[in-house]
Amino acid sequence: MSATISRILRYTLNERILHWVAGLTYVYQLLTGLAFYSPHLFWIAVLLGGGPTSRFWHPWAGLLFTVALFWMLEVWRNDMRITDADRAWAKAMPHYIRNEDEDLPPIDRFNYGQKYFFWVMLWAGIIMLISGLALWFPERIPWNLRYLRYLAILLHVSAALISIGAFIIHVYMGTAMVRGGFTSIIRGEVTPAWAKMHHRLWYNRIMGAAPTRR
Ligand code: HEM
């Protein structure tokens, strides 16, 4: 008699570490960035060790965040490709909003929204990196090209605001809306019922070829 499987591995330890390197460095950048954005929010920098400390670590956290993003790209490149199954799922999005998951077309390891979030964060991260380097070393920009500094500020803030919108949705979906998601990014595991309900193509695929735990 075959034993029933009670847990499926959704995120390896490597994936969880890289996720939390991205998560923690992003939150640090978010908090210190908000402190620099408005004098009303400067108290955040004070709580985080003072203005100069926050100013020193903000770009370093940004570099580490970008490393984590490219590491994610390396690990999840295939999982994040948008497929016809995702496009069919996106068309049926009203069912998702109304919590009618059983009426949604089956999807693989990540859904359309999760993939979209990843690409938004990657591109926002690239723009923040390039514009951030210009803000980190402004003296390297010749005076006759000084408009590039203003462009860098505009791009840095715009990309940051877009990423903040995406981040809020991501955290809300991962922690409050989709139950079982948060434990998966901490402990790595989900129940077969969760996998079948939210990512049926992935469930079918891995149950055929089995990196499972009991
Ligand atoms: C710090 C707060 C964060 C929390 C609480 C959080 C939570 C989660 C959760 C619960 C999952 C698993 C979702 C599932 O498998 O259904 C997840 C996955 C993921 N997280 Fe985060 N995350 C955070 C920050 C970030 C940041 C800053 C990034 C930046 C790239 C990120 C990128 C991802 C990606 C790409 C996935 C896989 C696809 C997805 O579920 O969207 N996370 N996260």
Side-chain angles (χ1 to χ4, degrees), residues 42-93:
F42 192 72
W43 57 269
I44 303 175
V46 175
L47 287 181
L48 291 172
T53 306
S54 301
R55 172 63 186 78
F56 178 82
W57 287 111
H58 178 89
W60 286 105
L63 280 187
L64 196 52
F65 175 68
T66 322
V67 170
L69 278 180
F70 279 94
W71 184 10
M72 273 184 179
L73 179 65
E74 178 63 24
V75 174
W76 287 340
R77 189 188 296 266
N78 288 333
D79 290 319
M80 291 299 174
R81 268 200 195 110
I82 294 182
T83 62
D84 287 344
D86 296 317
R87 282 184 266 274
W89 187 90
K91 275 196 190 134
M93 193 94 85

Side-chain angles (χ1 to χ4, degrees), residues 87-183:
R87 282 184 266 274
W89 187 90
K91 275 196 190 134
M93 193 94 85
H95 291 299
Y96 185 71
I97 293 162
R98 291 196 297 266
N99 256 337
E100 300 163 353
D101 283 21
E102 60 288 348
D103 294 328
L104 285 164
I107 37 143
D108 213 296
R109 188 177 181 194
F110 298 121
N111 67 35
Y112 185 74
Q114 290 173 311
K115 291 180 181 181
Y116 214 81
F117 166 72
F118 171 76
W119 294 111
V120 166
M121 287 309 253
L122 182 71
W123 282 106
I126 291 170
I127 293 170
M128 284 191 282
L129 174 74
I130 295 168
S131 54
L133 286 172
L135 298 174
W136 201 359
F137 306 105
E139 68 286 355
R140 297 285 172 92
I141 299 175
W143 184 242
N144 58 339
L145 295 177
R146 63 191 176 283
Y147 70 89
L148 286 178
R149 295 182 191 183
Y150 303 115
L151 184 65
I153 295 171
L154 185 70
L155 287 175
H156 204 71
V157 172
S158 308
L161 290 176
I162 290 169
S163 78
I164 291 170
F167 173 73
I168 291 171
I169 297 171
H170 176 68
V171 173
Y172 174 70
M173 300 290 294
T175 56
M177 206 170 144
V178 181
R179 295 197 174 270
F182 192 64
T183 28

